Amino acid sequence: MYKKDIIFSMSKKDIIFAIMLLLIPVSFAAEYKEWGASVVFISAGLAIIPLASYLGLATEEIAVVVGPNLGGLLNATFGNATELIIAFFALKSGLIEVVKATITGSIISNLLLVMGFSMFLGGLRYKEQEFQPTAARLNASTMNLAVIAILIPTAVQYTSTGIAQPIIQKLSVAVAVILILVYGLTLLFSMKTHAYLYDVGVSEIEDSEGEIPEEKKPNIWLWVGVLFVVTIAVAVESELLVDSLEEATKALNLSALFTGVILLPIIGNAAEHATAVTVAMKNKMDLSVSVAMGSSMQIALFVAPVLVIAGTLIGQPMDLDFNPFELVAVAVSVLIANSISSDGQSNWLEGSLLLATYMVLGFAFFFHPVVEGLG
Amino acid sequence: MYKKDIIFSMSKKDIIFAIMLLLIPVSFAAEYKEWGASVVFISAGLAIIPLASYLGLATEEIAVVVGPNLGGLLNATFGNATELIIAFFALKSGLIEVVKATITGSIISNLLLVMGFSMFLGGLRYKEQEFQPTAARLNASTMNLAVIAILIPTAVQYTSTGIAQPIIQKLSVAVAVILILVYGLTLLFSMKTHAYLYDVGVSEIEDSEGEIPEEKKPNIWLWVGVLFVVTIAVAVESELLVDSLEEATKALNLSALFTGVILLPIIGNAAEHATAVTVAMKNKMDLSVSVAMGSSMQIALFVAPVLVIAGTLIGQPMDLDFNPFELVAVAVSVLIANSISSDGQSNWLEGSLLLATYMVLGFAFFFHPVVEGLG
Amino acid sequence: MYKKDIIFSMSKKDIIFAIMLLLIPVSFAAEYKEWGASVVFISAGLAIIPLASYLGLATEEIAVVVGPNLGGLLNATFGNATELIIAFFALKSGLIEVVKATITGSIISNLLLVMGFSMFLGGLRYKEQEFQPTAARLNASTMNLAVIAILIPTAVQYTSTGIAQPIIQKLSVAVAVILILVYGLTLLFSMKTHAYLYDVGVSEIEDSEGEIPEEKKPNIWLWVGVLFVVTIAVAVESELLVDSLEEATKALNLSALFTGVILLPIIGNAAEHATAVTVAMKNKMDLSVSVAMGSSMQIALFVAPVLVIAGTLIGQPMDLDFNPFELVAVAVSVLIANSISSDGQSNWLEGSLLLATYMVLGFAFFFHPVVEGLG
């Protein structure tokens, strides 16, 4: 009975996602029939959610075929493909402040919203849930470094007066290069030299697939095709989303800071969100925590530095000088997530605390006065 | 012999408290005979200390009769009644900055002064003292959230320019509502769904009463009467204290910030202080730590939001925009208290470190220049 | 074979240090033949490295003779003699900002560079290295307090406007007195009341000496002589270093902040650095971590307050008002070092994370605009 319930909830998700695909033509229609920027923005935003989920699925299936090493690398690189694509289009359109807000927002929403809902909903079903603290702690340390590193240029800017923008830009590029190196080391560590530390998570992923994969390996060409088509669809919808963003947020009376920090990350992280909550409700907290923490770690270690470097290449230089309140919000999120995850246990109250922190920060960003350079 | 020593120290406390009650008439005489604001301030302040202790005693006795659920709620709500009453009268007199300073000061003094003295004096008697880290950690996480939440408006104000006061006020009310919700969830968690986690503490409270309560339940009407009379007495003395505050601190050459952060919390927390130290010296560190942490948690989760909401109702709107140095001081106190309590062990050096941090902060507040709006 | 390797690496170090002693006459020649400030600066800086190592050796040998109590005190006091001597001469020359930068730089470099290299190089040889978390945690708590305390005057200054310099000076002296008291308590704790907690480290030091010291106690007068001569040599070279500092850093195009935070601490801590890395490669992580943490703790608890008090005595009053970015850098270093050391395990990735944080901070200080008062 309990198992049936899960299967039912899985397929319920599938049905919802299939229906949401209908929003792709809606977003096109809205764009070309000129139904208004808000309609384009909302329909494109919602259409990206199932696409991101299929992107993740295709990556995982291909990863199974190509083997653990290359597969792991593929998974790690494509894991945040949606965020990266949305951010890239926003960067190309010169919405640099929005892109920066999306980076901090993704870190915050993974740590507080995704992990919070996982612990809360999982905790309603199971009195206490456990996860291996070793991997969680190592993730936490890596995340601490990554988050500290991307916030250092902001701190330099905030604690000195009259620092020239080119210097912050140079510092940002230097930080980006160090972070990408650290990202490489992390992959080396988790896939080669200390892979055994992460075994728990992997076996849980396999378990969570449900059936035993009896020799029927996934058809790689089919999935490469899916990956290709879905990536293009994500890119197209992202462009619609970004193009309508400025006008839509003005119509909806939202500041661009709020849009970047709160709204866009919810869209970009919807797939991880669904996965983390689903496995938490199956009491696989190891996997749930590692999805949430791993995702915010990848944003800081990979997505943010790639955007900094891509920005200089496409002539839209993006530094890592965030709004000081973003620094506060990220620091606060990391502190509270560490404090809650470090003991390897969770319950519904801890989930509520994470969600409450998210709500408080959400209100703060909502009330934060519009900052210059943010539409 | 050792037991006798405790009983002796208990009754010594009782005698001192009984003598301190004589300060009630003194404070009245000082007020009506116009002996000067300083005399009123000091006598009223000292008179509140034994009253707060009797308030706690009456609440506990009634809690025993009405049963664990309602009793726990009663205990939690009346636990900081003294702080709440003093703060309410200060708020009514428009001393908003003093009230805010008292909030941060109560958090700081519980974490550093109360926990510090408990660990130091307990550690002089026992080489190493242990307490259950699970409840301590959960308390720490809740406290982290609460403290972060009440400091967010200050951070918003400090990291932006030209933010209007009404916006900070709205944000403060939103934060207050979230905090009261979280407080409700905490009570639900600790009394209903996960009460077993907190059992250790409770059994220790019962033990610490000394005798087995053989069927002779406390006389509820007697204690309700005591609660009623003592609450009125606390209210009257608080009003004397608050009315003489501005003049007295000027005469004593103390800034209002120092008075609010250092002086008032020592008065308001004296009862918890005595309890925490007494049980620590009986090697009941679980209880001692939970009194100190629980008290600062309640200030942040319950007293502060209630004051924000009460302020808007009585036409003395109080926001949560603290002096930035208060933010630093609270953050520092929480960090060091977490770092010391997270391992479930304490010794005299850890107590000294907490006390040293308190002394450093005390000096900092003493030397801090007078802030506008603070008398 | 493995043992041989160690012995070889030990004597390699000895040979290098002996060769580096030749830089003493070079620095003199450079000074009197006027070969330029840069040559004096570099040769004096490098000459101090072997001298610091011999200073440590002499202290340890004398400590063995005079017994654990006095010896421990001697070790603790002379442990940072080199930093203290360099800082004292810089203070005497009025380079107050450089001295302050050296203090924060020493804390940062011990926690990130020394501990980072130890964990990284140790981790390349051993898959996982363990150390006793109890002593590490106690050290961490003490260090947290110390670091918080020395940063409080900066926070006071940064969060208020128009605070007079004499007030910051008074506050700094008060903090210094509290810190020296805490330092005394720490010694009492680790040598008298709770010495058993630190036994692991001590036995490892003895082991790491290699041979069993069969009754042949070191010749105390020889070593007192060595201590005397080496201390004078360190003092002389420090004076050359400090006198050439301003001109040399200008010629090398380095800001005085960068010199103070990054360059001088590498020279001053070279001896601890060599020890910590060597013992880490012998899998004695307990000792390695305690050298790194202990050294930064001593800087904050002993060297910094002594310099504040010495400054007032020699008429070069030094307050503890650091550059705000130094505050950020130290806070960040402490946070990440705590997060990595708290689980009592290390591996090469954790070492890399510490080194990466150091590199990021190094870049930040390199790009930090020149601050007034800093040459």
Side-chain angles (χ1 to χ4, degrees):
Chain A
M1 205 185 86
Y2 160 67
K3 208 154 187 190
K4 222 168 131 191
D5 185 54
I6 298 252
I7 289 161
F8 177 68
S9 95
M10 289 293 287
S11 51
K12 209 161 57 177
K13 195 184 93 179
D14 289 347
I15 293 167
I16 295 171
F17 275 9
I19 293 172
M20 286 172 80
L21 284 183
L22 294 174
L23 290 164
I24 298 180
V26 172
S27 66
F28 275 94
E31 171 77 2
Y32 294 104
K33 301 264 180 182
E34 291 179 15
W35 293 349
S38 304
V39 182
V40 178
F41 183 72
I42 292 168
S43 56
L46 291 176
I48 288 172
I49 293 173
L51 290 172
S53 162
Y54 300 145
L55 201 62
L57 190 64
T59 316
E60 273 169 35
E61 294 291 340
I62 297 170
V64 171
V65 181
V66 299
N69 279 341
L70 189 56
L73 190 65
L74 205 72
N75 244 325
T77 318
F78 270 76
N80 284 293
T82 313
E83 282 95 328
L84 202 52
I85 294 170
I86 298 179
F88 183 77
F89 280 102
L91 188 61
K92 234 185 73 185
S93 308
L95 296 169
I96 292 171
E97 295 302 313
V98 174
V99 174
K100 291 202 272 184
T102 314
I103 290 171
T104 51
S106 287
I107 294 170
I108 294 168
S109 84
N110 274 305
L111 290 182
L112 300 182
L113 194 64
V114 175
M115 202 152 93
F117 263 123
S118 303
M119 287 186 176
F120 180 71
L121 293 176
L124 289 185
R125 200 173 269 191
Y126 301 93
K127 211 161 190 79
E128 267 171 57
Q129 299 190 292
E130 310 226 330
F131 47 93
Q132 210 210 353
T134 313
R137 266 189 199 157
L138 204 60
N139 272 342
S141 293
T142 317
M143 202 177 54
N144 286 353
L145 156 74
V147 156
I148 284 168
I150 69 165
L151 297 178
I152 284 292
T154 310
V156 168
Q157 161 76 34
Y158 195 63
T159 58
S160 65
T161 45
I163 193 165
Q165 208 279 330
I167 286 181
I168 292 289
Q169 182 65 35
K170 266 188 215 163
L171 179 56
S172 300
V173 172
V175 167
V177 170
I178 293 174
L179 284 179
I180 288 181
L181 281 174
V182 170
Y183 186 61
L185 292 177
T186 319
L187 293 181
L188 187 67
F189 183 85
S190 62
M191 287 176 197
K192 277 267 176 205
T193 69
H194 289 66
Y196 60 93
L197 279 177
Y198 298 82
D199 277 355
V200 195
V202 172
S203 69
E204 280 191 355
I205 297 184
E206 277 156 15
D207 284 6
S208 74
E209 304 293 302
E211 303 94 326
I212 303 112
E214 294 165 352
E215 273 143 65
K216 57 158 183 159
K217 280 203 170 182
N219 180 335
I220 185 162
W221 297 113
L222 173 70
W223 285 112
V224 168
V226 170
L227 188 69
F228 187 74
V229 170
V230 171
T231 305
I232 288 176
V234 169
V236 170
E237 293 296 314
S238 296
E239 202 163 9
L240 290 177
L241 183 82
V242 166
D243 286 348
S244 59
L245 187 142
E246 281 189 281
E247 212 181 312
T249 51
K250 211 168 280 171
L252 296 169
N253 210 9
L254 299 171
S255 78
L257 182 66
F258 183 80
T259 313
V261 173
I262 304 292
L263 230 55
L264 291 187
I266 291 180
I267 297 169
N269 289 322
E272 287 97 323
H273 205 142
T275 308
V277 170
T278 309
V279 298
M281 291 177 74
K282 293 186 202 164
N283 207 14
K284 295 176 195 304
M285 283 311 284
D286 266 309
L287 184 55
S288 181
V289 169
S290 91
V291 166
M293 283 216 158
S295 185
S296 51
M297 201 176 90
Q298 275 175 24
I299 297 286
L301 272 184
F302 182 67
V303 174
V306 161
L307 289 170
V308 168
I309 292 168
T312 45
L313 297 180
I314 64 171
Q316 289 281 7
M318 179 182 105
D319 59 27
L320 292 171
D321 177 23
F322 296 95
N323 181 315
F325 188 70
E326 291 179 76
L327 185 151
V328 171
V330 170
V332 153
S333 308
V334 168
L335 269 181
I336 202 132
N338 281 355
S339 136
I340 279 177
S341 70
S342 67
D343 63 351
Q345 288 188 325
S346 72
N347 54 51
W348 68 261
L349 183 63
E350 295 193 326
S352 316
L353 295 179
L354 292 171
L355 292 174
T357 313
Y358 188 74
M359 277 167 65
V360 169
L361 292 178
F363 273 111
F365 279 111
F366 183 76
F367 285 122
H368 209 284
V370 178
V371 183
E372 49 160 334
L374 277 173
Chain B
M1 206 184 90
Y2 159 70
K3 207 155 188 187
K4 222 169 130 190
D5 185 53
I6 297 249
I7 290 163
F8 177 68
S9 94
M10 290 292 288
S11 51
K12 208 160 57 178
K13 196 184 93 179
D14 290 347
I15 293 166
I16 295 171
F17 276 9
I19 293 172
M20 286 172 80
L21 284 183
L22 294 175
L23 290 163
I24 300 180
V26 173
S27 66
F28 274 94
E31 171 76 2
Y32 295 103
K33 301 266 181 180
E34 291 178 14
W35 293 350
S38 305
V39 182
V40 178
F41 184 71
I42 291 168
S43 56
L46 292 175
I48 288 173
I49 293 173
L51 290 171
S53 163
Y54 300 145
L55 201 62
L57 191 65
T59 316
E60 272 169 34
E61 294 291 339
I62 297 169
V64 171
V65 181
V66 298
N69 280 341
L70 188 57
L73 191 67
L74 205 71
N75 245 325
T77 319
F78 270 76
N80 284 294
T82 314
E83 282 95 326
L84 202 52
I85 295 171
I86 299 179
F88 183 78
F89 279 102
L91 189 61
K92 234 185 70 185
S93 309
L95 297 170
I96 293 172
E97 296 302 313
V98 174
V99 175
K100 293 203 270 184
T102 314
I103 290 172
T104 52
S106 286
I107 295 171
I108 293 167
S109 84
N110 274 304
L111 291 182
L112 300 182
L113 195 64
V114 175
M115 203 152 89
F117 263 123
S118 303
M119 287 186 176
F120 180 71
L121 293 176
L124 289 186
R125 201 172 268 193
Y126 302 93
K127 213 163 189 79
E128 268 172 55
Q129 298 191 293
E130 310 225 328
F131 46 95
Q132 212 210 352
T134 313
R137 267 189 197 157
L138 205 60
N139 272 342
S141 293
T142 316
M143 200 177 55
N144 285 353
L145 156 73
V147 157
I148 284 168
I150 69 164
L151 297 178
I152 284 293
T154 310
V156 168
Q157 162 76 34
Y158 195 64
T159 58
S160 64
T161 45
I163 193 165
Q165 208 278 332
I167 286 181
I168 290 290
Q169 182 65 36
K170 267 189 214 162
L171 178 57
S172 300
V173 172
V175 167
V177 170
I178 293 174
L179 283 179
I180 287 182
L181 281 175
V182 170
Y183 186 61
L185 292 177
T186 318
L187 293 181
L188 187 66
F189 183 85
S190 62
M191 288 176 197
K192 277 267 176 205
T193 71
H194 289 66
Y196 61 93
L197 280 177
Y198 297 82
D199 277 355
V200 194
V202 172
S203 70
E204 278 190 356
I205 296 184
E206 276 155 16
D207 284 8
S208 75
E209 303 295 301
E211 304 93 325
I212 303 111
E214 293 164 353
E215 274 142 65
K216 55 160 185 160
K217 280 202 171 186
N219 181 337
I220 186 161
W221 297 114
L222 172 70
W223 285 112
V224 168
V226 170
L227 189 68
F228 187 74
V229 170
V230 172
T231 305
I232 289 176
V234 169
V236 170
E237 292 296 315
S238 296
E239 202 162 8
L240 290 177
L241 183 81
V242 166
D243 286 348
S244 59
L245 187 142
E246 281 188 280
E247 211 180 313
T249 51
K250 211 168 280 170
L252 297 169
N253 210 8
L254 299 170
S255 77
L257 181 66
F258 183 80
T259 313
V261 173
I262 303 292
L263 230 54
L264 292 186
I266 291 180
I267 297 169
N269 290 320
E272 288 97 323
H273 206 141
T275 308
V277 170
T278 310
V279 298
M281 290 178 73
K282 293 185 202 166
N283 207 14
K284 295 176 194 302
M285 282 312 284
D286 267 308
L287 183 54
S288 180
V289 169
S290 91
V291 165
M293 284 215 159
S295 186
S296 52
M297 202 176 89
Q298 276 175 24
I299 298 285
L301 273 184
F302 182 68
V303 174
V306 161
L307 289 171
V308 168
I309 292 168
T312 45
L313 298 181
I314 65 170
Q316 288 281 9
M318 179 183 106
D319 59 28
L320 293 171
D321 177 23
F322 297 95
N323 181 314
F325 188 70
E326 292 179 75
L327 185 151
V328 171
V330 171
V332 153
S333 308
V334 169
L335 270 181
I336 201 132
N338 282 355
S339 137
I340 278 177
S341 70
S342 67
D343 64 350
Q345 288 188 324
S346 72
N347 53 52
W348 69 261
L349 183 63
E350 296 193 325
S352 316
L353 295 178
L354 292 171
L355 292 175
T357 312
Y358 188 74
M359 278 168 63
V360 169
L361 292 177
F363 273 112
F365 279 111
F366 184 75
F367 285 123
H368 209 285
V370 178
V371 183
E372 47 159 338
L374 278 174
Chain C
M1 205 183 89
Y2 159 69
K3 207 154 186 190
K4 223 167 128 192
D5 185 54
I6 298 250
I7 289 162
F8 177 68
S9 95
M10 289 292 288
S11 51
K12 211 162 54 178
K13 195 185 91 181
D14 289 346
I15 293 166
I16 295 171
F17 275 9
I19 293 172
M20 287 173 79
L21 284 183
L22 294 175
L23 290 163
I24 299 180
V26 173
S27 65
F28 274 94
E31 171 77 2
Y32 294 104
K33 301 266 181 183
E34 291 179 14
W35 294 347
S38 305
V39 182
V40 179
F41 184 71
I42 292 169
S43 55
L46 292 176
I48 287 173
I49 293 174
L51 290 171
S53 162
Y54 299 145
L55 200 61
L57 191 65
T59 316
E60 272 169 35
E61 294 292 340
I62 296 169
V64 171
V65 181
V66 298
N69 280 340
L70 188 56
L73 192 66
L74 205 71
N75 245 324
T77 318
F78 270 76
N80 284 294
T82 314
E83 283 95 327
L84 203 51
I85 295 171
I86 299 179
F88 182 77
F89 279 102
L91 188 62
K92 234 185 71 185
S93 307
L95 297 170
I96 293 171
E97 296 301 313
V98 174
V99 174
K100 291 202 270 183
T102 314
I103 291 171
T104 52
S106 287
I107 294 171
I108 294 167
S109 84
N110 274 306
L111 291 181
L112 300 181
L113 194 64
V114 175
M115 202 152 90
F117 264 123
S118 302
M119 287 186 176
F120 180 70
L121 292 176
L124 290 185
R125 200 174 266 192
Y126 302 92
K127 215 166 188 75
E128 268 172 55
Q129 298 191 292
E130 310 225 328
F131 46 95
Q132 211 211 354
T134 313
R137 268 189 197 157
L138 205 60
N139 272 341
S141 293
T142 317
M143 200 178 53
N144 285 353
L145 156 73
V147 156
I148 284 170
I150 68 164
L151 296 177
I152 284 293
T154 311
V156 168
Q157 161 76 34
Y158 195 63
T159 58
S160 65
T161 45
I163 192 165
Q165 208 278 331
I167 286 181
I168 292 289
Q169 182 64 37
K170 266 188 216 161
L171 178 56
S172 301
V173 172
V175 168
V177 170
I178 293 174
L179 284 178
I180 287 182
L181 281 175
V182 171
Y183 187 61
L185 293 177
T186 318
L187 293 181
L188 187 67
F189 183 84
S190 62
M191 287 175 198
K192 276 268 176 204
T193 71
H194 289 65
Y196 60 94
L197 280 177
Y198 299 81
D199 276 355
V200 194
V202 172
S203 69
E204 279 189 355
I205 296 183
E206 276 156 16
D207 284 8
S208 75
E209 304 295 301
E211 302 94 327
I212 304 111
E214 292 166 352
E215 274 143 63
K216 56 159 185 160
K217 279 202 172 183
N219 181 336
I220 186 161
W221 296 115
L222 173 70
W223 286 112
V224 168
V226 169
L227 188 68
F228 187 74
V229 170
V230 172
T231 305
I232 289 176
V234 169
V236 170
E237 292 296 313
S238 297
E239 201 161 10
L240 289 178
L241 183 82
V242 166
D243 287 348
S244 60
L245 187 142
E246 281 189 279
E247 211 180 312
T249 51
K250 210 169 280 171
L252 297 169
N253 210 9
L254 299 170
S255 77
L257 181 66
F258 183 80
T259 314
V261 173
I262 304 292
L263 230 53
L264 291 187
I266 291 180
I267 297 168
N269 290 321
E272 288 97 324
H273 206 141
T275 308
V277 170
T278 311
V279 298
M281 291 177 74
K282 292 185 203 166
N283 208 15
K284 297 175 193 301
M285 281 312 284
D286 266 308
L287 183 55
S288 181
V289 168
S290 91
V291 165
M293 284 217 158
S295 185
S296 51
M297 203 176 89
Q298 276 175 23
I299 298 285
L301 273 184
F302 181 68
V303 175
V306 161
L307 289 170
V308 169
I309 292 168
T312 45
L313 297 181
I314 65 171
Q316 289 281 8
M318 179 182 106
D319 59 27
L320 293 170
D321 177 24
F322 297 95
N323 182 314
F325 188 69
E326 291 179 76
L327 184 151
V328 171
V330 170
V332 153
S333 309
V334 169
L335 269 180
I336 202 131
N338 281 355
S339 136
I340 279 176
S341 70
S342 68
D343 63 351
Q345 287 188 323
S346 72
N347 53 53
W348 68 262
L349 182 63
E350 296 192 326
S352 316
L353 295 179
L354 292 172
L355 292 174
T357 312
Y358 188 75
M359 278 168 64
V360 169
L361 292 178
F363 274 112
F365 279 111
F366 184 75
F367 285 122
H368 210 283
V370 177
V371 183
E372 47 159 336
L374 277 174

